[in-house]
Amino acid sequence: MTLKTKRHASALETISVVVPEAHVEIFENALGIICPTVGIFEEDSDNNIWRLEGIKDVGYGEEELANALTLANSISGISPELQRKTTETDGWLARTYEAFPEQAIGKRFIIRGTHLDDTPSPSHLVLTLDAGVAFGSGEHGSTRGCLIALEKIAHLKPQRILDLGCGSGILAMGAGALLNKKVLAVDIEPWSVRAAKQNVIRNGLRNLIVCEHGNGWLSPSIRKKAPFDLVFANILARPLCKMAKDLAKNLAPGGRVILSGLLATQIPMVLIAHQRQGLKLQEKIIQGSWAALILYKPTKS
């Protein structure tokens, strides 16, 4: 596979913090203020310690970052050291490309980076993404779990589909390509919506995927098209719990929801929150430290 290289105009740096599992979400949000993507890596499995890492332009967003970390420190009660490391642009691109080879997921999907120029397998559904989009590009356990879950419920042929917190748009594109149905993809981050739109165009799915900026279940487009037969919510454990009531309200009887972005250790917390709203567990899918849950809303007798 040949790598197509390109240059980045600005100097880059890697910033990272090491925190206990309970505070991953808080500091992921803090770094995400200025980093387009934040990687989450297990640092110490015995003690549930995680490293959060993002790439940014040197000097960019320093005041916003400082304010976000101050808030995160206050909420969590801890003050992890912010580590910085100069990242050579060309070296970073090469490592990113090497870390993002063609990936087969489940029985139907292949995820490929834009840097690969060989011919993919014609027997699979191929989704092409920018290799620089780390979280949500298919190599992350939560994304893989969602696509595997999608294959498991595809026979139900859902008609109204929502990707809530769409990020790169990979799940919306997977559903559109596999089911040949229209999908609404919504994210609260404008840059995520832009990236998703670019990926949709790149994959020739403009006739199926609508990407919009919106604030979760408060989004007018979501309210207009609810209830849904299938919802993807690949977010984080605590936001999922907070939104359980709204999710149940906007899920059609017999509909499925694929929840992810949670660690396997967080399954009980997320599951209980949704069971309290009347949803039932169909299946758990574990990918490394990450989990995806398939839940359904019972039909009325």
Side-chain angles (χ1 to χ4, degrees):
M1 297 181 181
T2 304
L3 300 183
K4 298 176 181 178
T5 59
K6 57 183 179 181
R7 302 188 64 86
H8 190 280
S10 304
L12 298 175
E13 66 175 345
T14 300
I15 59 174
S16 62
V17 293
V18 176
V19 301
E21 179 183 300
H23 304 309
V24 165
E25 177 187 328
I26 296 171
F27 285 90
E28 190 271 343
N29 289 334
L31 296 189
I33 292 293
I34 60 168
C35 297
T37 58
V38 177
I40 306 174
F41 309 93
E42 194 169 36
E43 185 83 358
D44 182 348
S45 59
D46 293 334
N47 296 298
N48 289 328
I49 302 297
W50 295 76
R51 176 169 53 88
L52 287 78
E53 183 177 290
I55 301 285
K56 74 177 192 70
D57 292 330
V58 172
Y60 170 72
E62 290 298 323
E63 182 176 353
E64 293 89 342
L65 175 62
N67 291 338
L69 288 174
T70 297
L71 179 60
N73 293 345
S74 175
I75 294 173
S76 66
I78 63 173
S79 300
E81 177 188 359
L82 178 67
Q83 301 175 2
R84 298 175 183 265
K85 181 174 64 176
T86 300
T87 303
E88 294 294 333
T89 303
D90 290 344
W92 171 70
L93 285 170
R95 288 195 301 274
T96 300
Y97 292 159
E98 290 172 2
F100 190 14
E102 180 177 286
Q103 303 163 72
I105 299 179
K107 298 178 180 179
R108 299 295 308 278
F109 293 103
I110 284 181
I111 311 299
R112 291 170 53 85
T114 52
H115 59 292
L116 301 175
D117 61 1
D118 59 330
T119 303
S121 169
S123 61
H124 288 72
L125 295 173
V126 179
L127 302 177
T128 302
L129 298 173
D130 187 336
V133 182
F135 193 98
S137 60
E139 88 294 346
H140 197 283
S142 62
T143 307
R144 296 178 66 89
C146 286
L147 290 174
I148 292 171
L150 171 61
E151 290 186 349
K152 291 178 178 290
I153 58 90
H155 67 281
L156 299 174
K157 299 180 180 180
Q159 301 296 308
R160 295 161 295 180
I161 305 170
L162 170 66
D163 184 0
L164 184 65
C166 65
S168 66
I170 186 172
L171 300 180
M173 292 190 299
L178 180 62
L179 303 172
N180 194 32
K181 299 294 181 182
K182 291 190 176 182
V183 182
L184 174 62
V186 177
D187 202 287
I188 196 170
E189 297 289 351
W191 62 263
S192 289
V193 177
R194 290 194 296 270
K197 287 181 177 179
Q198 292 171 357
N199 284 328
V200 166
I201 293 171
R202 178 180 291 120
N203 286 273
L205 294 169
R206 275 192 295 185
N207 62 323
L208 293 175
I209 315 297
V210 176
C211 303
E212 295 188 2
H213 177 255
N215 184 13
W217 293 108
L218 298 176
S219 305
S221 57
I222 292 179
R223 289 173 174 268
K224 181 179 179 180
K225 295 185 179 182
F228 295 93
D229 303 307
L230 172 60
V231 175
F232 294 100
N234 182 17
I235 310 176
L236 289 169
R238 286 172 181 80
L240 288 175
C241 292
K242 292 178 181 178
M243 294 189 296
K245 183 176 182 179
D246 288 326
L247 170 60
K249 179 181 177 181
N250 289 280
L251 190 63
R256 262 59 175 181
V257 57
I258 298 173
L259 303 177
S260 196
L262 58 140
L263 300 168
T265 55
Q266 296 172 319
I267 289 176
M269 172 178 69
V270 174
L271 188 54
I272 290 172
H274 289 81
Q275 287 174 331
R276 286 174 177 167
Q277 302 303 323
L279 301 186
K280 305 293 185 181
L281 176 66
Q282 175 176 324
E283 190 170 346
K284 303 174 186 177
I285 299 169
I286 308 298
Q287 292 285 301
S289 299
W290 298 88
L293 304 178
I294 305 175
L295 306 179
Y296 67 94
K297 185 174 184 176
T299 56
K300 296 181 180 180
S301 57

